[in-house]
Amino acid sequence: MNEYLVEITTTIPEGTTPEEVGRRRAAEAVRARELAADGHLVRLWRPVGELRSIGIWRAADEDELHDKVLATLPLRPWMTITVTALEPHPNDPGSSS
């Protein structure tokens, strides 16, 4: 699978009830665990003081990432997503070669 740097900003639409936000956030946590178990969600961070996330995600290609992975997130309709395809760097200290 290919790796992607994914930056996500979630903006809750005005007028959304707290119950709806809570329901979607709970469903999002469940889906994130499923995607991690499937090997799609590798790591996820939240920058200090910001309401966005940055993560390493895996998929066969960018179409799969968008259509079969990110599109399944319960908060997706409220998300702005930026995807950057990644490739190994020859100086990566974490590489095994």
Side-chain angles (χ1 to χ4, degrees):
M1 282 200 275
N2 297 309
E3 291 189 326
Y4 300 89
L5 177 69
V6 178
E7 298 179 64
I8 299 172
T9 302
T10 303
T11 304
I12 299 168
E14 192 173 319
T16 305
T17 66
E19 294 79 18
E20 176 67 8
V21 173
R23 184 188 67 76
R24 286 190 187 227
R25 284 189 173 152
E28 186 84 7
V30 169
R31 185 65 184 135
R33 286 190 298 273
E34 294 169 349
L35 291 169
D38 290 343
H40 291 292
L41 176 55
V42 180
R43 295 292 309 267
L44 196 59
W45 298 270
R46 172 158 295 162
V48 174
E50 297 184 33
L51 293 176
R52 66 185 183 105
S53 62
I54 299 170
I56 303 295
W57 296 71
R58 289 186 181 140
D61 55 38
E62 201 164 330
D63 287 338
E64 179 187 52
L65 178 69
H66 283 284
D67 299 340
K68 296 182 179 172
V69 178
L70 299 174
T72 69
L73 296 170
L75 292 171
R76 178 61 187 103
W78 301 347
M79 292 176 168
T80 302
I81 297 176
T82 302
V83 173
T84 304
L86 301 173
E87 63 182 23
H89 191 286
N91 298 331
D92 178 5
S95 69
S96 58
S97 53

